[in-house]
Amino acid sequence: MWISITEADVLTVLSGPELEAYRNAAKATGQTDPVAPVIAQVTALARGYVGACGRNRLGESGTIPEKLLAPALDLLALRLPQRVRLVANETRKSNAQEALRLFERVANCQFDIEEPLVADTEVSSVGPSPTIAARTKRFGSAQQEGV
């Protein structure tokens, strides 16, 4: 199943007071809530890794495979504190590194993700496939007679 990352999902890796502190510290006068843009960035990143594998089809815009929710949240838990220039703890850094390694495996078609029920119309820009053209024969058996 393909899902959208929600704020309720973010609260599984950050506490409510912690999320509110990041939200309030990151907003200057007139700025919007930083949580939604960071969710959108991590979603786009995950979709980019999924789309890098030619076998994968992307789900609806703004969704990721459910299997990638936990690693996406690990990235969010690292990126939100960075928004307010706080240094994340070692556990969060390590979790984010593991998430990126998993995303790389997805991109290399080494981690199975579920097919979307509804495919997106977005076309992945996976690199060109190699093409091999047959060479034209210059010599046949008639030209080699007597050789």
Side-chain angles (χ1 to χ4, degrees):
M1 174 169 31
W2 283 60
I3 58 172
S4 295
I5 300 173
T6 65
E7 192 169 315
D9 295 323
V10 176
L11 289 172
T12 65
V13 292
L14 298 175
S15 68
E18 184 180 18
L19 182 60
E20 282 306 310
Y22 296 148
R23 177 175 273 142
N24 294 328
K27 284 196 311 192
T29 305
Q31 284 188 320
T32 60
D33 181 9
V35 176
V38 175
I39 289 174
Q41 291 166 3
V42 170
T43 298
L45 179 71
R47 289 175 63 83
Y49 278 104
V50 169
C53 173
R55 295 189 313 229
N56 293 336
R57 291 183 345 177
L58 293 174
E60 292 180 275
S61 181
T63 63
I64 63 170
E66 189 172 16
K67 288 180 182 178
L68 298 181
L69 178 61
L73 292 172
D74 287 338
L75 285 177
L76 278 162
L78 181 71
R79 289 183 176 209
L80 279 170
Q82 288 176 340
R83 168 89 184 217
V84 294
R85 293 187 169 87
L86 289 177
V87 178
N89 66 37
E90 290 304 313
T91 301
R92 286 192 177 154
K93 287 180 184 178
S94 175
N95 290 346
Q97 288 297 324
E98 285 297 317
L100 289 174
R101 280 195 278 282
L102 178 62
F103 285 155
E104 288 170 2
R105 290 183 59 212
V106 170
N108 292 323
C109 305
Q110 297 172 336
F111 185 83
D112 184 46
I113 59 163
E114 53 270 15
E115 285 289 319
L117 296 175
V118 178
D120 195 0
T121 56
E122 180 182 347
V123 177
S124 179
S125 59
V126 176
S129 298
T131 55
I132 301 172
R135 296 190 327 186
T136 306
K137 292 183 182 180
R138 294 186 181 160
F139 301 100
S141 59
Q143 288 85 9
Q144 296 180 14
E145 193 170 314
V147 175

